[in-house]
Amino acid sequence: MTSAQGSTVRGRTRWRRFAVVLVPAVAVAATLMVGMANGAVPASFVVSGSTFKVSADLLDGTGFVQYGGLAVDKAGNRHPVAVSGIQSAKLTNLCQSVVAPGGISLVIKAGTEKDKPATATDLLIDMEQLSGDAEFTNIDIGADASSLKKGPDGAVGQPGGFGQQADTVKIHGLRQVAWSTSAGTFNLNGLDLHISLTGEQCFT
């Protein structure tokens, strides 16, 4: 971040209940964006007309960036999002849920064993809401979005846009609502996918 004198201040920052950060999410169904485009962040795609929820006991990641953007659905509707990128992450007790018309939901769980978390690389997430207890190291807040360097290759915003980046990030008690997630690789240890007729969700 920048001091009143204009100098850059670096250090260890801890924010409680931080509501707009990052966090990878699992895409709908078991074919989850695995092994795409030589591990690089893939091109943008048209999103579905609904969001999905993601929770995790802990996200432990390295190489984080964030900037503003838009998610566009098939009908041409534009949804303002916080675009977050992370080079690599471990997620303990990961859960994703999406509710379909009629109240039926698809629920995915992975990384439920502490020593076997879900892992991901080169993540790009379009989110509209996130909460949890977050801790960052060497965070830069207010950087030009086009100049971000700490995230996945190509994870930058528009010139003049607001951006932030950090060497590492940890989020405890993660709760996220997202429109899309892309990844270079996504390893879901202990994958459990099931349909819920009662509209089960990762959180309410």
Side-chain angles (χ1 to χ4, degrees):
M1 67 178 62
T2 304
S3 68
Q5 289 74 33
S7 60
T8 299
V9 179
R10 294 178 178 271
R12 188 179 182 89
T13 305
R14 182 175 179 84
W15 294 349
R16 304 283 295 181
R17 308 307 299 172
F18 190 71
V20 185
V21 213
L22 85 116
V23 107
V26 187
V28 177
T31 55
L32 301 174
M33 305 300 175
V34 177
M36 302 180 72
N38 297 319
V41 175
S44 299
F45 53 88
V46 176
V47 301
S48 70
S50 60
T51 58
F52 55 93
K53 293 182 177 180
V54 177
S55 67
D57 290 348
L58 173 65
L59 164 83
D60 188 354
T62 59
F64 159 71
V65 296
Q66 186 178 65
Y67 49 91
L70 292 171
V72 182
D73 61 30
K74 191 173 182 178
N77 299 314
R78 300 186 174 211
H79 309 278
V81 294
V83 182
S84 295
I86 185 169
Q87 288 186 343
S88 64
K90 298 178 181 178
L91 299 106
T92 302
N93 197 23
L94 176 67
C95 175
Q96 181 222 296
S97 62
V98 58
V99 179
I104 299 174
S105 62
L106 170 67
V107 182
I108 296 173
K109 295 183 179 182
T112 55
E113 297 183 33
K114 189 174 182 180
D115 58 343
K116 293 183 179 180
T119 62
T121 62
D122 292 326
L123 294 150
L124 196 63
I125 312 103
D126 290 347
M127 72 178 71
E128 68 174 30
Q129 181 181 341
L130 182 133
S131 64
D133 295 335
E135 178 181 331
F136 300 87
T137 57
N138 293 329
I139 188 168
D140 302 324
I141 302 172
D144 188 287
S146 67
S147 68
L148 301 176
K149 298 179 180 179
K150 295 185 178 182
D153 291 341
V156 295
Q158 295 296 315
F162 180 91
Q164 54 189 7
Q165 59 183 352
D167 289 347
T168 67
V169 59
K170 289 185 179 180
I171 302 179
H172 295 265
L174 173 126
R175 300 290 184 270
Q176 175 186 288
V177 179
W179 284 97
S180 70
T181 293
S182 300
T185 61
F186 219 138
N187 300 311
L188 301 178
N189 295 317
L191 173 66
D192 173 25
L193 184 154
H194 63 273
I195 301 297
S196 171
L197 300 180
T198 60
E200 176 187 353
Q201 299 187 63
C202 297
F203 61 93
T204 57

